[in-house]
Amino acid sequence: MQDEQLIKFVLQQLEDMKAKDITVIDVSKTSDVTDTMIICTGNSKRHVRSVAEQTALAAKNAGEPALGIEGLEGSEWVLLDLGNIVVHVMQDETRQFYQLEKLWEHSA
């Protein structure tokens, strides 16, 4: 799957799982790790975990298995590594505290 197709696919999964405040940031000029970050919010620890797990499962079934998933234990912030795309699923309080959008948009 091309990166643009994978981004659209992931966004559809996040929308289907009722993730909130979905943001896409192009970090290709400032990051050696990934090209695109997708940040979204879940309603609770259970919702955050479910959004991340179901997105990873859908990606795997589409032939794009995750390279890694971090944070499932606490589920306040789960990172899903899809290579050129990294998905951050966060609880609202955690997202407000770390403010990843400001961090990455200023460096882009």
Side-chain angles (χ1 to χ4, degrees), residues 3 25-29 31 33-37 83-86:
D3 284 353
I25 303 172
D26 179 352
V27 296
S28 60
K29 292 180 175 64
S31 173
V33 178
T34 191
D35 292 335
T36 304
M37 283 196 189
N84 290 338
I85 299 164
V86 172

Side-chain angles (χ1 to χ4, degrees), residues 44-94:
S44 64
K45 287 182 180 186
R46 183 174 293 194
H47 187 225
V48 166
R49 182 182 186 106
S50 179
V51 167
E53 287 178 334
Q54 291 303 313
T55 303
L57 180 61
K60 179 181 177 184
N61 290 339
E64 297 288 340
L67 301 176
I69 302 175
E70 298 290 332
L72 285 174
E73 307 79 37
S75 296
E76 290 182 18
W77 177 357
V78 178
L79 183 143
L80 174 60
D81 183 353
L82 296 170
N84 290 338
I85 299 164
V86 172
V87 182
H88 298 270
V89 186
M90 308 171 90
Q91 286 193 40
D92 192 45
E93 306 81 39
T94 305

